[in-house]
């Protein structure tokens, strides 16, 4: 936790991610005043999220932030991971543990949707490839295996919706979260009644979809008493965390890409038009409205990114709990490897390959390991593999949009500085990183107009990362000759 003298007017940001909950207070210029990070609470067995505990952690963090700053914010913006959600009963209480995007229970229902409705037809409506990560297949699973849950459901909410509900008592969602349900018509901007009916749901059981910056409600008196917030403070659902972070980092126009790195990784490209559904299906990428409400965007995801570092520490270093700081342990090991590139090619598919060549059953593989390679080299090769994959996704998105990347901005790179350096060596276009936490400050500043404050550009500090031409040439050869042939021989977007 860090603190400084509080400015007179503050905004609050909340970001509930797969691994951590972040809460912070910022000046209207985006300068941080106080920031807290807590692990995202999981349910029994660690496979799901605990909805009530998530809400409590957010409220406790807001209370601590207000106490440290000495004053309360004038507006609160909430961003969160997408796809993860929970059904609420008539009293707006969770009916089950919050189902994670990573929950794979709906494989059979996903296959049914693909077979009966067709992937291209679904993508034409929803902008999404058929995948078990989305709520629609999970609703079909609930209808088959836990029908009582859907019969009792008053409303299905995403994580950010749930937090906003706890603060205000009002139900709503943001379009960037709604469009990740696989039951939302991205062209018409509303939930599709026919897709909902497949699971026995009605439009009234999904939250109202608000426009960018529209207020979901005001902080209630009971919440204010327990947190030190002002009763009546406006709350805004900022949206999907990857998109909020990209927008705050200045990714605003076609040709600008964000590489949002966390437990999962997403390459985000801004576009002027909605991509062809056949190309989305072929590459496993998704498309929808951007956080600015005016443009479109494309997203290509890698289900395991820095999560690979945590896996490496647990398995390869024989630390079952990952240690107190698995990422730091991993980085310390990477620093011991001095040869770049390592010569080891890692296919970074711990949980399958999503984009740009959907292969859900592909798994992690290492090729080219010799007796000279150390454990540190293997750790560095993991970072190289994810960097190669992100470049591959970027090139396929460029082929779909017919817009060459002008620059890629790495979000989350400050946690893995060695990783960012490798990305810069792998990428053939300028690579920058941003300081601070763009998703958190972006959530706060997207709420500024709700408090009658001018919407302020976060103005995050960007740093261009460079690499020597010799090392870059070696990575180029490794990428073309040894990474792409086994993984990307089809190049579906370019056929």
């Amino acid at each position: 936790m860090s603190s400084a003298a509080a400015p007179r007017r503050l905004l609050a940001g909340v970001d509930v991610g797969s691994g951590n909950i972040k809460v912070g207070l910022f000046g209207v210029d985006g300068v941080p005043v106080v920031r807290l990070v807590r692990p995202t609470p999981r349910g029994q067995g660690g496979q799901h999220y605990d909805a009530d505990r998530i809400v409590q952690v957010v409220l406790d963090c807001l209370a601590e932030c207000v106490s440290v700053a000495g004053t309360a914010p004038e507006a609160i913006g909430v961003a969160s991971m997408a796809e993860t959600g929970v059904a609420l009963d008539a009293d707006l209480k969770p009916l089950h543990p919050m189902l994670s995007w990573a929950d794979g229970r709906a494989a059979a229902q996903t296959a049914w949707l693909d077979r009966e409705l067709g992937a291209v037809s679904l993508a034409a409506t929803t902008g999404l490839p058929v995948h078990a990560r989305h709520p629609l297949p999970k609703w079909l699973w609930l209808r088959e295996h836990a029908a009582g849950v859907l019969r009792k459901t008053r409303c299905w909410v995403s994580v950010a919706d749930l937090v906003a509900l706890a603060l205000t008592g009002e139900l709503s969602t943001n379009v960037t979260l709604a469009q990740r349900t696989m039951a939302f018509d991205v062209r018409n901007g509303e939930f599709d009644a026919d897709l909902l009916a497949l699971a026995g749901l009605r439009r009234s059981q999904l939250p109202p979809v608000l426009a960018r910056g529209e207020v979901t409600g005001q902080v209630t008196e009971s919440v204010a008493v327990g947190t030190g917030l002002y009763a009546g403070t406006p709350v805004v659902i900022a949206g999907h965390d990857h998109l909020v972070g990209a927008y705050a980092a200045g990714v605003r126009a076609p040709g600008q890409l964000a590489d949002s790195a966390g437990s999962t990784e997403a390459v985000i490209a801004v576009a002027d038009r909605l991509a062809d559904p056949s190309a989305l299906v072929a590459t496993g990428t998704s498309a929808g409205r951007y956080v600015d409400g005016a443009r479109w965007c494309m997203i290509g995801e890698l289900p395991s990114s820095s999560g690979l570092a945590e896996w490496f520490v647990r398995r390869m270093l024989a630390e079952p709990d990952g240690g107190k700081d698995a990422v730091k342990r991993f980085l310390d090991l990477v620093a011991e490897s001095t040869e770049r590139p390592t010569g080891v090619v890692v296919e970074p598919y711990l949980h399958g390959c999503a984009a740009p060549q959907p292969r859900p059953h592909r798994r992690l593989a290492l090729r080219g390991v010799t007796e000279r390679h150390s454990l540190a080299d293997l750790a560095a090769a993991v970072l190289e593999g994810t960097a190669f994959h992100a470049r591959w996704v970027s090139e396929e998105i460029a082929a779909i949009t017919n817009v060459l990347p002008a620059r890629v901005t790495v979000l989350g790179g400050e946690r893995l500085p060695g990783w960012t350096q490798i990305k810069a060596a792998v990428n053939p276009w300028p690579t920058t990183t941003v300081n601070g936490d763009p998703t958190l400050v972006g959530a706060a500043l997207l709420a500024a107009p709700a408090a009658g404050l001018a919407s302020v550009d976060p103005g995050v500090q960007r740093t261009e990362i460079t690499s020597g031409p010799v090392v870059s040439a070696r990575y180029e050869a490794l990428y073309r000759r040894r990474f792409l042939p086994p993984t990307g021989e089809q190049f579906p977007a370019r056929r």
Side-chain angles (χ1 to χ4, degrees):
M1 179 177 69
S2 60
S3 61
R8 297 180 61 183
R9 308 189 74 175
L10 300 180
L11 299 164
V14 176
D15 174 20
V16 184
S18 301
N20 291 302
I21 293 173
K22 302 174 185 178
V23 179
L25 296 185
F26 301 86
V28 296
D29 54 359
V31 174
V33 174
V34 57
R35 174 180 176 270
L36 299 172
V37 181
R38 301 287 184 269
T40 304
R42 293 185 179 270
Q44 187 174 6
Q47 298 301 309
H48 307 99
Y49 292 104
D50 188 313
D52 290 332
R53 288 174 62 206
I54 284 175
V55 167
Q56 192 58 55
V57 169
V58 170
L59 295 178
D60 289 346
C61 286
L62 282 169
E64 187 172 347
C65 284
V66 171
S67 176
V68 171
T71 189
E74 297 185 35
I76 302 170
V78 186
S80 77
M81 54 182 154
E83 293 105 14
T84 299
V86 64
L88 304 179
D89 65 14
D91 297 320
L92 299 178
K93 302 297 183 183
L95 284 162
H96 54 81
M98 182 166 273
L99 301 183
S100 164
W101 57 267
D103 186 306
R105 72 179 65 196
Q109 290 72 26
T110 303
W112 181 87
L113 285 168
D114 193 1
R115 183 173 62 251
E116 296 297 322
L117 300 185
V120 174
S121 176
L122 277 167
T125 299
T126 67
L128 301 175
V130 183
H131 199 284
R133 69 185 295 130
H134 302 298
L136 177 58
K138 293 183 176 68
W139 297 338
L140 295 176
W141 186 94
L142 288 171
R143 188 176 192 181
E144 293 178 28
H145 299 279
V149 169
L150 294 184
R151 284 197 298 269
K152 296 176 183 177
T153 297
R154 174 175 169 183
C155 191
W156 175 275
V157 294
S158 72
V159 183
D161 308 341
L162 181 72
V163 171
L165 171 66
L167 290 167
T168 69
E170 302 290 340
L171 285 166
S172 66
T173 192
N174 177 279
V175 65
T176 62
L177 295 169
Q179 67 191 11
R180 303 299 296 182
T181 62
M182 206 173 187
F184 188 80
D185 189 323
V186 293
R187 295 184 186 275
N188 296 334
E190 60 184 23
F191 287 102
D192 185 278
D194 292 335
L195 290 175
L196 291 175
L198 295 174
L201 293 172
R202 305 176 302 279
R203 285 181 179 172
S204 60
Q205 291 173 282
L206 278 297
V209 182
L210 303 183
R212 174 198 174 189
E214 191 173 351
V215 176
T216 186
Q218 289 77 37
V219 171
T220 63
E221 184 67 40
S222 60
V223 169
V225 169
T227 60
L229 296 168
Y230 300 129
T233 300
V235 176
V236 171
I237 299 174
H240 185 180
D241 53 3
H242 285 310
L243 301 187
V244 172
Y247 181 80
V251 178
R252 310 281 176 86
Q256 299 176 350
L257 279 72
D259 183 347
S260 182
S263 297
T264 63
E265 186 167 0
V267 174
I268 301 153
V270 181
D272 281 328
R273 58 182 175 82
L274 187 60
D276 178 81
S278 297
L280 296 177
V281 171
T283 59
T285 52
S286 59
R289 287 291 180 185
Y290 196 40
V291 73
D292 62 2
R295 294 186 185 271
W296 299 93
C297 65
M298 289 190 63
I299 306 174
E301 296 176 285
L302 176 62
S304 50
S305 188
S306 67
L308 269 171
E310 297 168 6
W311 171 87
F312 196 98
V313 170
R314 290 196 308 271
R315 301 299 186 187
M316 305 296 280
L317 301 185
E319 297 182 11
D321 62 355
K324 293 184 178 180
D325 192 342
V327 172
K328 184 178 184 304
R329 287 279 291 113
F330 184 80
L331 286 178
D332 289 344
L333 185 62
V334 169
E336 296 176 15
S337 171
T338 57
E339 186 175 352
R340 295 291 183 272
T342 62
V344 177
V345 174
V346 172
E347 298 177 27
Y349 309 121
L350 192 62
H351 301 294
C353 181
Q357 191 183 78
R359 298 290 187 272
H361 301 298
R362 289 198 59 177
R363 287 298 177 260
L364 181 69
L366 289 79
R367 291 182 286 107
V369 181
T370 69
E371 62 180 10
R372 71 176 175 81
H373 287 114
S374 66
L375 195 60
D377 293 328
L378 299 186
V382 166
L383 298 187
E384 292 174 339
T386 59
F388 284 149
H389 183 86
R391 173 177 171 177
W392 183 26
V393 173
S394 302
E395 289 181 342
E396 290 297 298
I397 288 177
I400 293 172
T401 61
N402 201 31
V403 178
L404 292 175
R407 178 176 301 276
V408 62
T409 299
V410 180
L411 314 182
E414 74 280 357
R415 293 180 66 232
L416 294 167
W419 191 21
T420 306
Q421 188 66 53
I422 289 172
K423 284 180 177 291
V426 167
N427 289 335
W429 43 78
T431 301
T432 61
T433 187
V434 294
N435 297 331
D437 195 325
T439 299
L440 190 59
V441 68
L445 294 180
L446 283 169
L453 299 167
S455 183
V456 180
D457 189 293
V460 292
Q461 183 179 349
R462 299 171 184 84
T463 302
E464 184 160 341
I465 308 300
T466 59
S467 179
V470 174
V471 173
S472 294
R474 289 173 181 167
Y475 273 116
E476 180 71 20
L478 193 64
Y479 174 70
R480 292 292 177 193
R481 297 172 187 170
R482 295 179 55 198
F483 180 82
L484 284 182
T487 59
E489 65 275 10
Q490 295 186 37
F491 291 101
R494 306 183 194 186
R495 283 185 301 196

